[in-house]
């Protein structure tokens, strides 16, 4: 099973601040996927195939990485970005999610 | 417009079988490459993938749930199903279904399931 380790576990950012979230895989994966979850809502796809922006997602979000190291970047934090962010690997079953990073507004 | 909606019993007792239904629209599970997956989330915790079913009836399961899972589909009625046998309190969670044309893009709103005696 591929284990995904997200860091930090929790962080706070000020409006306008650049935010970088990290996801490390225990084995190399082909792509990484990123989801945003607010309150009790269902997860929302942000990034697919490591760096492709999902439809309707603001372009302040971007993804990068390869092999075992991936990141999600928010170029300029906005209040609406406060949420929990999860990474997901689909390279091998069982598909696995990271434990999540909780991003708060400072 | 793609939509998915989960339905389930709400509450059940330990050792019972949990039956979940995902009713969807805006796509077909007979389309080449299309799949539907089930993911669950205990309250306040992270996401756990459970199972996937594909257009060709191929099925993937999370081995952590051993042989307790059965996934199936009814293509004619645009539904996917998940059964979990011998439930216990650890199966209390919100259960989501999601469309998967190579990745989970659209998710349902989720259905809360409580296992309690």
């Amino acid at each position: 099973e591929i284990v995904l380790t997200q860091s930090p576990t929790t962080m706070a950012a000020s409006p306008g601040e650049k935010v970088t979230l990290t996801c490390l895989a225990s084995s190399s994966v082909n792509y990484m996927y990123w989801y945003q979850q607010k309150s009790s809502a269902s997860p929302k796809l942000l990034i697919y195939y490591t760096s492709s922006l999902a439809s309707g997602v603001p372009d302040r979000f971007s993804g990068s990485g390869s092999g075992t190291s991936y990141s999600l970047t928010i170029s300029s934090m906005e209040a609406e970005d406060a949420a929990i962010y999860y990474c997901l690997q689909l390279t091998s079953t069982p598909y696995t999610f990271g434990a999540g990073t909780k991003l708060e507004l400072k | 417009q793609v939509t998915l909606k989960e339905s389930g019993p709400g509450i059940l007792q330990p050792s019972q079988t949990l039956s979940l239904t995902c009713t969807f629209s805006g796509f077909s599970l007979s389309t080449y490459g299309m799949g539907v997956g089930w993911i669950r989330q205990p309250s306040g915790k992270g996401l756990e993938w459970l199972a996937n079913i594909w257009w060709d009836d191929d099925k993937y399961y999370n081995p952590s749930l051993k042989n307790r899972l059965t996934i199936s589909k009814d293509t004619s009625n645009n539904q996917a199903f998940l059964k979990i046998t011998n439930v216990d309190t650890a199966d209390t969670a919100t259960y989501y279904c999601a469309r998967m044309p190579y990745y989970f893009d659209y998710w349902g709103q989720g259905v809360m399931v409580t296992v309690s005696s």
Side-chain angles (χ1 to χ4, degrees):
Chain A
E1 172 176 324
I2 296 177
V3 176
L4 301 182
T5 303
Q6 290 189 241
S7 61
T9 301
T10 304
M11 70 171 293
S14 302
E17 184 177 346
K18 182 179 180 180
V19 173
T20 299
L21 311 181
T22 298
C23 180
L24 297 181
S26 60
S27 300
S28 182
V29 299
N30 297 330
Y31 300 105
M32 193 61 71
Y33 304 84
W34 291 91
Y35 294 83
Q36 176 193 67
Q37 188 176 35
K38 296 183 179 181
S39 300
S40 56
S42 54
K44 171 187 174 183
L45 177 67
L46 295 178
I47 301 288
Y48 62 98
Y49 295 153
T50 300
S51 59
S52 295
L53 202 62
S55 177
V57 176
D59 61 6
R60 63 180 179 273
F61 289 90
S62 63
S64 64
S66 65
T68 60
S69 181
Y70 294 83
S71 63
L72 173 71
T73 299
I74 306 173
S75 60
S76 179
M77 175 75 178
E78 295 195 8
E80 66 181 21
D81 300 335
I84 300 176
Y85 293 84
Y86 294 96
C87 55
L88 165 68
Q89 68 82 21
L90 298 171
T91 296
S92 64
T93 58
Y95 303 142
T96 48
F97 292 88
T101 291
K102 185 176 183 179
L103 175 61
E104 299 173 325
L105 182 67
K106 192 183 294 182
Chain B
Q1 176 190 3
V2 173
T3 64
L4 303 96
K5 186 172 184 179
E6 307 86 349
S7 58
I11 187 166
L12 65 167
Q13 296 183 334
S15 81
Q16 290 186 321
T17 295
L18 169 60
S19 295
L20 298 168
T21 299
C22 175
T23 303
F24 54 85
S25 64
F27 69 98
S28 173
L29 251 181
S30 61
T31 299
Y32 179 89
M34 192 61 68
V36 166
W38 287 93
I39 302 101
R40 71 180 179 183
Q41 184 174 37
S43 180
K45 297 189 177 180
L47 299 161
E48 178 183 30
W49 170 75
L50 300 175
N52 258 57
I53 190 164
W54 301 97
W55 85 101
D56 59 356
D57 210 39
D58 198 7
K59 299 160 188 170
Y60 296 167
Y61 294 103
N62 191 325
S64 70
L65 280 85
K66 297 178 183 177
N67 298 318
R68 299 174 55 214
L69 300 177
T70 303
I71 193 169
S72 60
K73 62 181 171 69
D74 179 347
T75 303
S76 301
N77 289 306
N78 287 340
Q79 292 180 314
F81 309 97
L82 183 70
K83 290 187 186 297
I84 306 179
T85 60
N86 192 27
V87 299
D88 68 10
T89 55
D91 296 308
T92 294
T94 295
Y95 287 77
Y96 298 100
C97 63
R99 188 180 82 151
M100 188 170 181
Y102 308 111
Y103 47 86
F104 299 120
D105 58 357
Y106 289 90
W107 295 56
Q109 63 190 25
V111 61
M112 288 187 62
V113 174
T114 301
V115 180
S116 175
S117 55

PDB file of all heavy atoms in Angstrom, chain A residues 71-93:
ATOM      1  N   SER A  71       3.321  18.842  -4.511  1.00  0.00           N
ATOM      2  CA  SER A  71       2.884  20.001  -3.746  1.00  0.00           C
ATOM      3  C   SER A  71       1.700  20.675  -4.403  1.00  0.00           C
ATOM      4  O   SER A  71       1.500  20.592  -5.621  1.00  0.00           O
ATOM      5  CB  SER A  71       4.030  20.996  -3.563  1.00  0.00           C
ATOM      6  OG  SER A  71       4.441  21.489  -4.812  1.00  0.00           O
ATOM      7  N   LEU A  72       0.918  21.332  -3.556  1.00  0.00           N
ATOM      8  CA  LEU A  72      -0.195  22.175  -3.971  1.00  0.00           C
ATOM      9  C   LEU A  72       0.137  23.575  -3.491  1.00  0.00           C
ATOM     10  O   LEU A  72       0.462  23.769  -2.319  1.00  0.00           O
ATOM     11  CB  LEU A  72      -1.502  21.696  -3.342  1.00  0.00           C
ATOM     12  CG  LEU A  72      -2.731  22.583  -3.551  1.00  0.00           C
ATOM     13  CD1 LEU A  72      -3.195  22.508  -4.998  1.00  0.00           C
ATOM     14  CD2 LEU A  72      -3.862  22.163  -2.612  1.00  0.00           C
ATOM     15  N   THR A  73       0.041  24.543  -4.383  1.00  0.00           N
ATOM     16  CA  THR A  73       0.364  25.924  -4.042  1.00  0.00           C
ATOM     17  C   THR A  73      -0.829  26.822  -4.281  1.00  0.00           C
ATOM     18  O   THR A  73      -1.522  26.690  -5.295  1.00  0.00           O
ATOM     19  CB  THR A  73       1.566  26.428  -4.861  1.00  0.00           C
ATOM     20  OG1 THR A  73       2.706  25.626  -4.563  1.00  0.00           O
ATOM     21  CG2 THR A  73       1.887  27.883  -4.525  1.00  0.00           C
ATOM     22  N   ILE A  74      -1.062  27.699  -3.318  1.00  0.00           N
ATOM     23  CA  ILE A  74      -2.032  28.773  -3.470  1.00  0.00           C
ATOM     24  C   ILE A  74      -1.205  30.049  -3.549  1.00  0.00           C
ATOM     25  O   ILE A  74      -0.489  30.398  -2.602  1.00  0.00           O
ATOM     26  CB  ILE A  74      -3.023  28.836  -2.292  1.00  0.00           C
ATOM     27  CG1 ILE A  74      -3.706  27.472  -2.084  1.00  0.00           C
ATOM     28  CG2 ILE A  74      -4.064  29.923  -2.532  1.00  0.00           C
ATOM     29  CD1 ILE A  74      -4.569  27.400  -0.831  1.00  0.00           C
ATOM     30  N   SER A  75      -1.273  30.728  -4.666  1.00  0.00           N
ATOM     31  CA  SER A  75      -0.369  31.870  -4.884  1.00  0.00           C
ATOM     32  C   SER A  75      -0.691  33.049  -3.977  1.00  0.00           C
ATOM     33  O   SER A  75       0.215  33.801  -3.594  1.00  0.00           O
ATOM     34  CB  SER A  75      -0.425  32.311  -6.344  1.00  0.00           C
ATOM     35  OG  SER A  75      -1.743  32.706  -6.688  1.00  0.00           O
ATOM     36  N   SER A  76      -1.952  33.207  -3.633  1.00  0.00           N
ATOM     37  CA  SER A  76      -2.361  34.330  -2.793  1.00  0.00           C
ATOM     38  C   SER A  76      -3.591  33.908  -2.002  1.00  0.00           C
ATOM     39  O   SER A  76      -4.687  33.822  -2.561  1.00  0.00           O
ATOM     40  CB  SER A  76      -2.658  35.554  -3.675  1.00  0.00           C
ATOM     41  OG  SER A  76      -3.085  36.645  -2.897  1.00  0.00           O
ATOM     42  N   MET A  77      -3.398  33.660  -0.747  1.00  0.00           N
ATOM     43  CA  MET A  77      -4.462  33.127   0.121  1.00  0.00           C
ATOM     44  C   MET A  77      -5.683  34.041   0.142  1.00  0.00           C
ATOM     45  O   MET A  77      -5.555  35.276   0.273  1.00  0.00           O
ATOM     46  CB  MET A  77      -3.922  32.952   1.546  1.00  0.00           C
ATOM     47  CG  MET A  77      -4.945  32.509   2.573  1.00  0.00           C
ATOM     48  SD  MET A  77      -5.350  30.777   2.393  1.00  0.00           S
ATOM     49  CE  MET A  77      -6.502  30.570   3.762  1.00  0.00           C
ATOM     50  N   GLU A  78      -6.868  33.440   0.010  1.00  0.00           N
ATOM     51  CA  GLU A  78      -8.108  34.171   0.189  1.00  0.00           C
ATOM     52  C   GLU A  78      -8.921  33.490   1.293  1.00  0.00           C
ATOM     53  O   GLU A  78      -8.728  32.307   1.584  1.00  0.00           O
ATOM     54  CB  GLU A  78      -8.897  34.209  -1.118  1.00  0.00           C
ATOM     55  CG  GLU A  78      -8.179  34.988  -2.218  1.00  0.00           C
ATOM     56  CD  GLU A  78      -9.090  35.337  -3.385  1.00  0.00           C
ATOM     57  OE1 GLU A  78     -10.317  35.107  -3.285  1.00  0.00           O
ATOM     58  OE2 GLU A  78      -8.564  35.853  -4.406  1.00  0.00           O
ATOM     59  N   ALA A  79      -9.848  34.225   1.871  1.00  0.00           N
ATOM     60  CA  ALA A  79     -10.630  33.712   2.990  1.00  0.00           C
ATOM     61  C   ALA A  79     -11.355  32.414   2.623  1.00  0.00           C
ATOM     62  O   ALA A  79     -11.453  31.479   3.430  1.00  0.00           O
ATOM     63  CB  ALA A  79     -11.627  34.764   3.454  1.00  0.00           C
ATOM     64  N   GLU A  80     -11.834  32.341   1.413  1.00  0.00           N
ATOM     65  CA  GLU A  80     -12.602  31.168   0.974  1.00  0.00           C
ATOM     66  C   GLU A  80     -11.732  29.930   0.814  1.00  0.00           C
ATOM     67  O   GLU A  80     -12.255  28.831   0.607  1.00  0.00           O
ATOM     68  CB  GLU A  80     -13.308  31.463  -0.347  1.00  0.00           C
ATOM     69  CG  GLU A  80     -12.382  31.682  -1.515  1.00  0.00           C
ATOM     70  CD  GLU A  80     -13.147  32.005  -2.806  1.00  0.00           C
ATOM     71  OE1 GLU A  80     -14.306  32.445  -2.726  1.00  0.00           O
ATOM     72  OE2 GLU A  80     -12.568  31.798  -3.890  1.00  0.00           O
ATOM     73  N   ASP A  81     -10.420  30.068   0.911  1.00  0.00           N
ATOM     74  CA  ASP A  81      -9.524  28.922   0.760  1.00  0.00           C
ATOM     75  C   ASP A  81      -9.337  28.155   2.067  1.00  0.00           C
ATOM     76  O   ASP A  81      -8.698  27.096   2.073  1.00  0.00           O
ATOM     77  CB  ASP A  81      -8.165  29.365   0.234  1.00  0.00           C
ATOM     78  CG  ASP A  81      -8.260  30.047  -1.128  1.00  0.00           C
ATOM     79  OD1 ASP A  81      -9.237  29.773  -1.857  1.00  0.00           O
ATOM     80  OD2 ASP A  81      -7.370  30.853  -1.453  1.00  0.00           O
ATOM     81  N   ALA A  82      -9.858  28.684   3.154  1.00  0.00           N
ATOM     82  CA  ALA A  82      -9.782  27.969   4.434  1.00  0.00           C
ATOM     83  C   ALA A  82     -10.570  26.667   4.312  1.00  0.00           C
ATOM     84  O   ALA A  82     -11.769  26.680   4.020  1.00  0.00           O
ATOM     85  CB  ALA A  82     -10.343  28.833   5.550  1.00  0.00           C
ATOM     86  N   ALA A  83      -9.867  25.541   4.509  1.00  0.00           N
ATOM     87  CA  ALA A  83     -10.469  24.226   4.258  1.00  0.00           C
ATOM     88  C   ALA A  83      -9.442  23.164   4.626  1.00  0.00           C
ATOM     89  O   ALA A  83      -8.322  23.475   5.049  1.00  0.00           O
ATOM     90  CB  ALA A  83     -10.844  24.090   2.781  1.00  0.00           C
ATOM     91  N   ILE A  84      -9.845  21.913   4.428  1.00  0.00           N
ATOM     92  CA  ILE A  84      -8.903  20.791   4.551  1.00  0.00           C
ATOM     93  C   ILE A  84      -8.573  20.321   3.143  1.00  0.00           C
ATOM     94  O   ILE A  84      -9.475  20.178   2.305  1.00  0.00           O
ATOM     95  CB  ILE A  84      -9.489  19.647   5.380  1.00  0.00           C
ATOM     96  CG1 ILE A  84      -9.818  20.138   6.792  1.00  0.00           C
ATOM     97  CG2 ILE A  84      -8.510  18.476   5.447  1.00  0.00           C
ATOM     98  CD1 ILE A  84     -10.505  19.095   7.670  1.00  0.00           C
ATOM     99  N   TYR A  85      -7.295  20.086   2.901  1.00  0.00           N
ATOM    100  CA  TYR A  85      -6.820  19.666   1.585  1.00  0.00           C
ATOM    101  C   TYR A  85      -6.266  18.250   1.674  1.00  0.00           C
ATOM    102  O   TYR A  85      -5.466  17.935   2.561  1.00  0.00           O
ATOM    103  CB  TYR A  85      -5.751  20.634   1.072  1.00  0.00           C
ATOM    104  CG  TYR A  85      -6.324  21.996   0.788  1.00  0.00           C
ATOM    105  CD1 TYR A  85      -6.480  22.936   1.803  1.00  0.00           C
ATOM    106  CD2 TYR A  85      -6.753  22.341  -0.501  1.00  0.00           C
ATOM    107  CE1 TYR A  85      -7.043  24.171   1.547  1.00  0.00           C
ATOM    108  CE2 TYR A  85      -7.310  23.577  -0.770  1.00  0.00           C
ATOM    109  CZ  TYR A  85      -7.466  24.487   0.269  1.00  0.00           C
ATOM    110  OH  TYR A  85      -8.030  25.713   0.010  1.00  0.00           O
ATOM    111  N   TYR A  86      -6.701  17.403   0.737  1.00  0.00           N
ATOM    112  CA  TYR A  86      -6.260  16.017   0.699  1.00  0.00           C
ATOM    113  C   TYR A  86      -5.564  15.715  -0.624  1.00  0.00           C
ATOM    114  O   TYR A  86      -6.032  16.160  -1.683  1.00  0.00           O
ATOM    115  CB  TYR A  86      -7.448  15.055   0.817  1.00  0.00           C
ATOM    116  CG  TYR A  86      -8.170  15.093   2.143  1.00  0.00           C
ATOM    117  CD1 TYR A  86      -9.316  15.864   2.299  1.00  0.00           C
ATOM    118  CD2 TYR A  86      -7.729  14.338   3.227  1.00  0.00           C
ATOM    119  CE1 TYR A  86     -10.003  15.894   3.512  1.00  0.00           C
ATOM    120  CE2 TYR A  86      -8.403  14.352   4.442  1.00  0.00           C
ATOM    121  CZ  TYR A  86      -9.532  15.135   4.571  1.00  0.00           C
ATOM    122  OH  TYR A  86     -10.207  15.159   5.772  1.00  0.00           O
ATOM    123  N   CYS A  87      -4.502  14.931  -0.557  1.00  0.00           N
ATOM    124  CA  CYS A  87      -3.907  14.392  -1.776  1.00  0.00           C
ATOM    125  C   CYS A  87      -4.373  12.944  -1.935  1.00  0.00           C
ATOM    126  O   CYS A  87      -4.776  12.294  -0.963  1.00  0.00           O
ATOM    127  CB  CYS A  87      -2.378  14.474  -1.760  1.00  0.00           C
ATOM    128  SG  CYS A  87      -1.553  13.715  -0.347  1.00  0.00           S
ATOM    129  N   LEU A  88      -4.357  12.465  -3.171  1.00  0.00           N
ATOM    130  CA  LEU A  88      -4.847  11.127  -3.500  1.00  0.00           C
ATOM    131  C   LEU A  88      -3.957  10.520  -4.564  1.00  0.00           C
ATOM    132  O   LEU A  88      -3.617  11.192  -5.539  1.00  0.00           O
ATOM    133  CB  LEU A  88      -6.286  11.212  -4.016  1.00  0.00           C
ATOM    134  CG  LEU A  88      -6.863   9.988  -4.745  1.00  0.00           C
ATOM    135  CD1 LEU A  88      -7.044   8.820  -3.777  1.00  0.00           C
ATOM    136  CD2 LEU A  88      -8.170  10.339  -5.435  1.00  0.00           C
ATOM    137  N   GLN A  89      -3.616   9.237  -4.393  1.00  0.00           N
ATOM    138  CA  GLN A  89      -2.880   8.533  -5.446  1.00  0.00           C
ATOM    139  C   GLN A  89      -3.768   7.441  -6.023  1.00  0.00           C
ATOM    140  O   GLN A  89      -4.476   6.735  -5.290  1.00  0.00           O
ATOM    141  CB  GLN A  89      -1.546   7.966  -4.932  1.00  0.00           C
ATOM    142  CG  GLN A  89      -1.645   6.829  -3.943  1.00  0.00           C
ATOM    143  CD  GLN A  89      -1.870   5.460  -4.595  1.00  0.00           C
ATOM    144  OE1 GLN A  89      -1.589   5.251  -5.779  1.00  0.00           O
ATOM    145  NE2 GLN A  89      -2.372   4.504  -3.814  1.00  0.00           N
ATOM    146  N   LEU A  90      -3.705   7.316  -7.344  1.00  0.00           N
ATOM    147  CA  LEU A  90      -4.486   6.305  -8.066  1.00  0.00           C
ATOM    148  C   LEU A  90      -3.575   5.389  -8.875  1.00  0.00           C
ATOM    149  O   LEU A  90      -4.030   4.696  -9.772  1.00  0.00           O
ATOM    150  CB  LEU A  90      -5.493   7.000  -8.994  1.00  0.00           C
ATOM    151  CG  LEU A  90      -6.535   7.886  -8.308  1.00  0.00           C
ATOM    152  CD1 LEU A  90      -7.333   8.675  -9.346  1.00  0.00           C
ATOM    153  CD2 LEU A  90      -7.472   7.066  -7.438  1.00  0.00           C
ATOM    154  N   THR A  91      -2.289   5.404  -8.550  1.00  0.00           N
ATOM    155  CA  THR A  91      -1.327   4.588  -9.294  1.00  0.00           C
ATOM    156  C   THR A  91      -1.526   3.107  -9.025  1.00  0.00           C
ATOM    157  O   THR A  91      -1.407   2.281  -9.924  1.00  0.00           O
ATOM    158  CB  THR A  91       0.109   5.004  -8.938  1.00  0.00           C
ATOM    159  OG1 THR A  91       0.304   6.342  -9.367  1.00  0.00           O
ATOM    160  CG2 THR A  91       1.137   4.076  -9.567  1.00  0.00           C
ATOM    161  N   SER A  92      -1.810   2.763  -7.777  1.00  0.00           N
ATOM    162  CA  SER A  92      -2.004   1.359  -7.445  1.00  0.00           C
ATOM    163  C   SER A  92      -3.060   1.223  -6.364  1.00  0.00           C
ATOM    164  O   SER A  92      -3.257   2.133  -5.551  1.00  0.00           O
ATOM    165  CB  SER A  92      -0.687   0.726  -6.973  1.00  0.00           C
ATOM    166  OG  SER A  92      -0.241   1.323  -5.779  1.00  0.00           O
ATOM    167  N   THR A  93      -3.740   0.092  -6.403  1.00  0.00           N
ATOM    168  CA  THR A  93      -4.727  -0.176  -5.361  1.00  0.00           C
ATOM    169  C   THR A  93      -4.047  -0.823  -4.154  1.00  0.00           C
ATOM    170  O   THR A  93      -3.068  -1.553  -4.326  1.00  0.00           O
ATOM    171  CB  THR A  93      -5.842  -1.099  -5.865  1.00  0.00           C
ATOM    172  OG1 THR A  93      -5.266  -2.323  -6.335  1.00  0.00           O
ATOM    173  CG2 THR A  93      -6.638  -0.442  -6.983  1.00  0.00           C
TER     174      THR A  93
END
